[in-house]
Amino acid sequence: MTRIRFTAAYDGRPYLGWQSQPGGRTVQDVLERAFSGLFGIPCRIHGSGRTDAGVHALGQVFHADAPDTHRIPADKWPAALNTRLPRTIRITHAEYVPPGFHARFSATGKTYRYCISRAPILNPFDAGLAWHRPLAWSADILEQAVHLFRGTHDFTAFAALRGNEPRPIPEGYFRRTITQTQVEQAGEHVFITFTGTGFLYKMVRLMTGAAHEAARGKITLEELARLINAPLPDDKSPFCAPPDGLTLMRVHYPEETFGDKKKIN
């Protein structure tokens, strides 16, 4: 078997998230059917992590082990698979990697972007791709709020529970590091970008929702800062943004080469 790393882009609207589920309506399920049809045998793929129902990706990474009989040039893999995939999922890159590479455990971080539309009337082409927030709010305060998340914090207040957490929850379980944040405006769209070493369940949506509540004047920046730095056991972010505007942009690895063969740190 030969290990291959793939990069995939997908529109999350038709799917129940990334993770395989009974019924087969997830991105992983669709990809595995494409691989199994190509190989003629069942194939399991391993993603860098989950995206929820309705969440999109431009840079999701996964790996698969292909039979040696299917060793083709790496740049031919996208076309070979895309012909078997719906238009809402596309393989954008493939490369052969050492057998020790793992899409999830080799990753060092991720970058997510959230899109908010300020348009008075939502453009129908933004439906499911942006959070429509036309009411008055301050983009300047939004930026200040988003920057509060930078650094290493206990993000208990910004994590939903899946129900499969270890019990008792170990100390530091909700501790994460946000290395970079950015807020950009382009016309009627506002884009919030988070880069971090790892993200908890619904963490980006909860951070975005809280920052937007501050921008609306519903909570103060001081209240938000206290929620980040010293959350009480029952404290939670006051609002969770919907999945519509969230996109996984990139998964980071210590040293990697893509199609242009440039090293990315």
Side-chain angles (χ1 to χ4, degrees):
M1 305 292 281
T2 303
R3 183 152 296 184
I4 314 166
R5 180 172 70 191
F6 295 92
T7 303
Y10 49 84
D11 179 345
R13 287 175 291 184
Y15 305 105
L16 298 176
W18 166 268
Q19 184 84 1
S20 181
Q21 295 182 27
R25 288 185 55 214
T26 72
V27 177
Q28 182 179 2
D29 291 323
V30 173
L31 285 167
E32 288 182 348
R33 286 196 292 270
F35 275 93
S36 298
L38 183 63
F39 296 157
I41 57 173
C43 177
R44 193 71 171 170
I45 66 173
H46 303 271
S48 68
R50 305 177 185 179
T51 53
D52 298 330
V55 174
H56 320 290
L58 287 176
Q60 173 69 289
V61 174
F62 67 93
H63 75 262
D65 292 325
D68 289 335
T69 53
H70 286 75
R71 188 176 180 90
I72 62 176
D75 61 355
K76 303 299 183 184
W77 276 108
L81 289 164
N82 286 337
T83 57
R84 296 174 176 269
L85 292 170
R87 290 181 294 177
T88 47
I89 302 175
R90 279 293 174 266
I91 304 298
T92 59
H93 180 77
E95 63 178 290
Y96 290 102
V97 291
F101 171 84
H102 194 286
R104 177 184 174 189
F105 299 117
S106 299
T108 58
K110 294 178 181 177
T111 295
Y112 284 93
R113 186 180 71 182
Y114 199 97
C115 178
I116 302 176
S117 170
R118 303 194 72 170
I121 299 173
L122 183 67
N123 186 320
F125 293 102
D126 280 340
L129 300 174
W131 184 22
H132 189 215
R133 303 302 287 170
L135 301 179
W137 51 275
S138 169
D140 290 336
I141 294 180
L142 178 76
E143 185 168 16
Q144 294 176 56
V146 166
H147 291 343
L148 290 175
F149 293 107
R150 288 180 180 174
T152 301
H153 305 285
D154 181 340
F155 285 98
T156 300
F158 302 92
L161 299 179
R162 293 185 185 274
N164 59 353
E165 293 77 18
R167 299 292 179 177
I169 293 178
E171 184 177 354
Y173 184 83
F174 295 105
R175 200 165 183 81
R176 295 292 187 276
T177 299
I178 302 297
T179 58
Q180 184 178 357
T181 60
Q182 187 176 35
V183 177
E184 301 172 284
Q185 296 189 64
E188 295 175 326
H189 295 94
V190 175
F191 297 98
I192 305 171
T193 303
F194 295 97
T195 297
T197 57
F199 293 88
L200 299 158
Y201 180 42
K202 294 188 178 179
M203 179 174 160
V204 175
R205 292 166 55 190
L206 285 160
M207 291 191 297
T208 299
H212 189 263
E213 289 292 275
R216 294 178 60 215
K218 298 300 182 180
I219 60 173
T220 66
L221 292 174
E222 291 74 17
E223 289 170 331
L224 177 57
R226 285 197 296 270
L227 197 60
I228 296 170
N229 293 304
L232 297 173
D234 295 328
D235 280 348
K236 287 294 179 184
S237 172
F239 193 82
C240 183
D244 303 31
L246 184 57
T247 300
L248 172 59
M249 301 297 291
R250 178 179 164 189
V251 183
H252 302 269
Y253 295 91
E255 295 181 357
E256 61 184 2
T257 56
F258 282 96
D260 59 3
K261 300 303 178 184
K262 293 180 180 178
K263 182 178 176 180
I264 301 174
N265 294 320

